[in-house]
Amino acid sequence: NNGHITAGPTAFFKVSNVVTSQNLPKHGTPTDHIPELNLHGFSTRVGHRVGRFLGSLFPHNAEFQGRQVVTFHNQRDFIFVR
């Protein structure tokens, strides 16, 4: 083993039009809770695969009493994150 990641599926994403939470008007105060994950528009075969990939980036034990939510919205081959 030479320390490299094993060969397998790879995903590349281009990030554009980033607005940080500090630049959003009237944004809430973040909490330390694990976020709830919402996936919208991932209904095709490839969409299911991409949705599962994005879901694997977050812990699977969301704490629903907090205010943290991450939403991935797939629309016309663009993925919007909020």
Side-chain angles (χ1 to χ4, degrees):
N1 187 353
N2 58 7
H4 288 76
I5 297 175
T6 60
T10 304
F12 293 95
F13 296 97
K14 177 183 175 184
V15 179
S16 60
N17 299 328
V18 175
V19 178
T20 62
S21 61
Q22 291 81 13
N23 294 328
L24 289 174
K26 301 181 182 179
H27 74 87
T29 304
T31 63
D32 292 331
H33 294 94
I34 295 172
E36 175 185 353
L37 184 62
N38 291 325
L39 299 169
H40 297 281
F42 294 90
S43 57
T44 64
R45 195 172 108 198
V46 173
H48 282 281
R49 181 172 287 195
V50 172
R52 287 183 55 84
F53 169 77
L54 293 172
S56 71
L57 299 175
F58 294 87
H60 293 277
N61 53 344
E63 298 172 336
F64 296 107
Q65 72 269 21
R67 299 188 68 219
Q68 301 286 50
V69 177
V70 177
T71 300
F72 291 98
H73 180 78
N74 182 24
Q75 184 175 356
R76 296 187 307 268
D77 291 337
F78 289 90
I79 300 173
F80 299 92
V81 182
R82 184 174 178 136

